Amino acid sequence: MKRGGGNVMVSECVSRLSMGPLRRIQGIVDKFQYEDNLENTMRPYQRNSLGRGFIFQQDNNPNQRYKHIQNWFFRRHVTFLDWPSQSPDLNIIEGLWVELGRRLVGRNARNADEKFSQLEEEWKITVSFIQTLFDSMPRRCQTVIDS
């Protein structure tokens, strides 16, 4: 997030049911940091909020395609949604970032710590807003197909 001073990288997860945790990322995300994020952020959220019947979507960036990461998913029996690589038109998280940006307009931060605090404060998107994003997917998919 680069709006209004302060520059911070985060990882997030969201489902149709709730917002998952927002995790601050320090440094460069390599396969080991990605695995740590999956194990210590996404997996507890999945266990506590989603249960066993969830389907995982990711944007297929290079860190997510390492054999090391694929083995992590395989060992945990994670089901994937087959999805085009890095497709912002088809990823509901982009709609959440637009909403967060709107909420942070005019709120400057002196540094990355302050910006992360602002993001955490606003990371309380309503379930109805999340469901609206999910409900928009058939229309969005059709638009991409038509294009």
Side-chain angles (χ1 to χ4, degrees), residues 7-8 14 24 40 45 59 82 101 117:
N7 194 359
V8 65
V14 64
R24 185 168 178 183
N40 297 304
Y45 169 68
D59 66 2
D82 192 19
S117 292

Side-chain angles (χ1 to χ4, degrees), residues 127-146:
V127 172
S128 63
F129 183 84
I130 296 168
Q131 289 176 348
T132 299
L133 292 173
F134 274 95
D135 291 343
S136 73
M137 288 310 299
R139 177 188 50 78
R140 296 165 86 187
C141 289
Q142 189 60 53
T143 301
V144 170
I145 291 167
D146 293 346

Side-chain angles (χ1 to χ4, degrees), residues 90-107:
L90 299 177
N91 193 335
I92 67 141
I93 202 69
E94 299 301 329
L96 292 173
W97 286 121
V98 168
E99 176 64 14
L100 281 171
R102 187 190 64 73
R103 291 177 179 205
L104 293 173
V105 167
R107 293 184 63 188

Side-chain angles (χ1 to χ4, degrees), residues 107-122:
R107 293 184 63 188
N108 292 322
R110 292 182 297 256
N111 54 48
D113 292 335
E114 193 172 314
K115 180 54 67 181
F116 184 68
S117 292
Q118 290 174 351
L119 286 169
E120 281 186 309
E121 184 181 316
E122 296 297 340

Side-chain angles (χ1 to χ4, degrees), residues 35-36 38-40 42-44 46-47 51-52 54 56 68-80:
E35 178 184 33
D36 180 70
L38 290 169
E39 187 66 38
N40 297 304
M42 187 283 290
R43 193 160 187 230
Q46 170 262 312
R47 284 180 167 166
R52 293 181 181 253
F54 80 103
F56 189 77
H68 177 84
I69 297 299
Q70 295 306 309
N71 286 336
W72 185 93
F73 285 115
F74 179 77
R75 289 189 315 271
R76 284 153 186 83
H77 308 285
V78 174
T79 302
F80 283 94

